[in-house]
Amino acid sequence: MPEEDLIDIKFRLYDGSDIGPFRYSSAATVDMLKQRIVSDWPKGKTIVPKAANEVKLINSGKILENNKTVGHCKVPFGDVAGAVIIIHVVVQPSLSKTKAEKKVDDSSKKVMCSCSIL
Amino acid sequence: MLTPTRKRLMRDFKRLQQDPPTGINVAPQDNNIMLWNAVIFGPDETPWDGGELILALHLLSENICEDEQLYV
């Protein structure tokens, strides 16, 4: 019987929670995984990606490129067939965190001496 | 040859695969258990916040507690 090239993938988020597992064929691309993550992002999280390009996927100690396939990211020494692969997800919003709390130091206070002529 | 060091590394790697810690992703390079790729996510409220540290961990000696080199 031909082996189906299906891989179970779980995505681990920044706070330790997981999405999935989802089943993908080994020909699925990283870009497809990102689209799925954005559409299936759990509600109630403080950080929410708005588009696939805000999401980075990391597996096997490398950042995965969009055009690579899932089968290409196979883990070395992966002798456990059918096991779930866990991919880390990092969200980088395109607008950096608004640092509206930038404190302007008042160190440029001028020291003024006033002399009064009596 | 499967030395105790290599056995230990394989065991650690299997453990990391099953339950990876949140801020770290690490795996040995293709078929070389003594050379690992790692990505550490920049922790919040640090200068690395929002970024990733990409590392290569080279284990030089068969004694796992000595002689590691870290390349960033």
Side-chain angles (χ1 to χ4, degrees), chain A residues 35-86:
Chain A
Q35 310 276 357
R36 182 71 182 272
I37 290 171
V38 173
S39 59
D40 280 5
W41 194 261
K43 297 192 184 6
K45 301 279 180 198
T46 42
I47 301 179
V48 182
K50 297 190 189 65
N53 60 1
E54 290 182 0
V55 173
K56 274 194 194 166
L57 296 184
I58 295 167
N59 184 244
S60 306
K62 292 179 224 163
I63 300 180
L64 304 179
E65 293 167 33
N66 282 348
N67 54 356
K68 290 280 192 304
T69 62
V70 169
H72 188 267
C73 308
K74 249 189 207 145
V75 186
F77 302 100
D79 44 0
V80 192
V84 182
I85 297 179
I86 301 185

Side-chain angles (χ1 to χ4, degrees), chain A residues 8-42:
Chain A
D8 284 318
I9 302 179
K10 230 195 254 186
F11 299 103
R12 184 150 291 186
L13 307 184
Y14 63 94
D15 59 355
S17 60
D18 290 345
I19 309 178
F22 301 124
R23 184 157 277 199
Y24 284 98
S25 102
S26 53
T29 60
V30 170
D31 199 42
M32 287 166 60
L33 302 184
K34 290 184 181 179
Q35 310 276 357
R36 182 71 182 272
I37 290 171
V38 173
S39 59
D40 280 5
W41 194 261

Side-chain angles (χ1 to χ4, degrees), chain B residues 5-56:
Chain B
T5 297
R6 286 164 194 262
K7 277 193 205 158
R8 154 88 191 268
L9 288 171
M10 289 291 290
R11 207 178 61 221
D12 285 350
F13 176 50
K14 284 207 171 96
R15 235 185 266 160
L16 286 167
Q17 263 186 291
Q18 283 156 9
D19 189 24
T22 314
I24 299 171
N25 186 281
V26 66
Q29 286 191 14
D30 305 319
N31 300 319
N32 184 358
I33 196 83
M34 304 299 269
L35 191 57
W36 290 56
N37 289 324
V39 177
I40 301 179
F41 311 153
D44 292 340
E45 313 291 325
T46 66
W48 298 278
D49 187 5
E52 297 87 33
L53 292 161
I54 301 175
L55 311 166

